[in-house]
Amino acid sequence: MVKLRLKRCGRKQRAVYRIVAIDVRSRREGRDLRKVGFYDPITNKTYLNIPAILDFLKKGAQPTRTVHDISKKAGIFTELSLNKTKLN
């Protein structure tokens, strides 16, 4: 199973996070399948590769709670629901 989760980068007391698609059995700093975004909690900046995230969500990837909240603010789940209604 694949999860969308945060991967810690940066230096001490100055953490930044990559949003990655990673196998559930891997540890936090383990090898990721694909980098799909970036999040800096200090400056509150976010970069998301929306097509890649939507692709993983369609394939059944589960976001963690934090990634879900970040994605929700970006409006990814509204796009996902719009795509589902277009397909029906």
Side-chain angles (χ1 to χ4, degrees):
M1 183 175 166
V2 176
K3 274 200 176 236
L4 297 174
R5 70 165 76 146
L6 297 176
K7 186 174 185 180
R8 191 178 194 278
C9 301
R11 54 180 203 242
K12 271 196 296 191
Q13 304 296 319
R14 185 90 178 133
V16 293
Y17 297 92
R18 288 186 183 142
I19 300 171
V20 297
I22 194 166
D23 186 35
V24 170
R25 297 168 293 202
S26 297
R27 56 195 176 100
R28 182 186 73 183
E29 305 302 324
R31 185 176 173 149
D32 51 73
L33 300 173
R34 185 168 178 192
K35 296 173 185 77
V36 294
F38 175 82
Y39 173 61
D40 186 357
I42 296 170
T43 60
N44 204 18
K45 291 186 180 179
T46 306
Y47 166 76
L48 299 173
N49 185 349
I50 294 174
I53 292 173
L54 288 174
D55 185 46
F56 276 109
L57 289 174
K58 286 176 189 173
K59 291 179 182 175
Q62 297 294 316
T64 59
R65 184 177 295 145
T66 308
V67 174
H68 182 272
D69 293 342
I70 292 169
S71 302
K72 194 173 180 180
K73 287 180 186 175
I76 288 180
F77 295 107
T78 57
E79 289 187 28
L80 187 63
S81 65
L82 288 175
N83 288 342
K84 284 183 179 178
T85 57
K86 286 181 184 177
L87 294 175
N88 291 336

